[in-house]
Amino acid sequence: KLDLGKVNHHFFISEVTFQGPGISINCDNEFTIRPDSSAQMHVYNFNYHDSATPTNPQDGILELYIHGKSQSLLPKFFSNNDSKKDISVFSFTHADVSTDGEQATLLIDQHHSIKTPAYISILPQRLKVIVGKHRMFE
């Protein structure tokens, strides 16, 4: 049994991606994240694309990966003048995504897009799937 993600009235198995200025993400009514406008956000239930971002589609939790760019305070001494990728990770069961200005577009499982505001949640172990013994999760 796998978890199933939900964005408003749309379901997803893998991920929801979005980016834009003025985005605000309220996670579990406990904390709010306001990423930089250039940051790319990925909400994963099951990330089968990249083993560097581990996810478990059976844990009842979604992971928010925020990919931004950070620069060293002393770039001349501590970096090669290339900005490094900075990744922040947050876990949640439900989140409200809104914007201050114009609406942002959320791409669901690289197929369907919707506009903000959006409510993202997880439906634990809602999907029954037959998998092989070499699956990518425990």
Side-chain angles (χ1 to χ4, degrees), residues 2 13 21-22 51 78 93-94 96-97 102 104 110 124-125:
L2 301 181
I13 295 172
S51 62
F78 296 108
T93 57
H94 63 274
D96 286 302
V97 179
E102 65 181 74
Q110 299 182 1
Q125 299 189 1

Side-chain angles (χ1 to χ4, degrees), residues 11-125:
F11 298 98
F12 67 96
I13 295 172
S14 179
E15 68 180 316
V16 176
T17 59
F18 52 100
Q19 179 180 7
I23 290 178
S24 175
I25 308 156
N26 182 316
C27 297
D28 293 330
N29 295 325
E30 292 182 9
F31 57 94
T32 300
I33 304 162
R34 292 183 173 271
D36 185 63
S37 63
S38 65
Q40 295 180 347
M41 282 130 315
H42 302 268
V43 174
Y44 291 113
N45 177 41
F46 176 39
N47 183 9
Y48 59 89
H49 303 293
D50 182 10
S51 62
T53 54
T55 58
N56 182 348
Q58 297 179 303
D59 62 1
I61 297 173
L62 294 169
E63 285 82 25
L64 169 64
Y65 283 76
I66 300 175
H67 300 264
K69 291 188 176 187
S70 67
Q71 295 182 354
S72 172
L73 294 175
L74 302 171
K76 184 176 181 180
F77 299 108
F78 296 108
S79 78
N80 56 5
N81 291 333
D82 291 332
S83 57
K84 298 176 183 176
K85 274 296 203 186
D86 183 28
I87 300 174
S88 299
V89 182
F90 302 91
S91 297
F92 65 92
T93 57
H94 63 274
D96 286 302
V97 179
S98 59
T99 54
D100 293 337
E102 65 181 74
Q103 294 178 316
T105 301
L106 286 79
L107 184 60
I108 303 169
D109 276 343
Q110 299 182 1
H111 178 41
H112 185 72
S113 62
I114 64 168
K115 299 282 188 184
T116 54
Y119 181 74
I120 302 173
S121 61
I122 189 81
L123 303 170
Q125 299 189 1

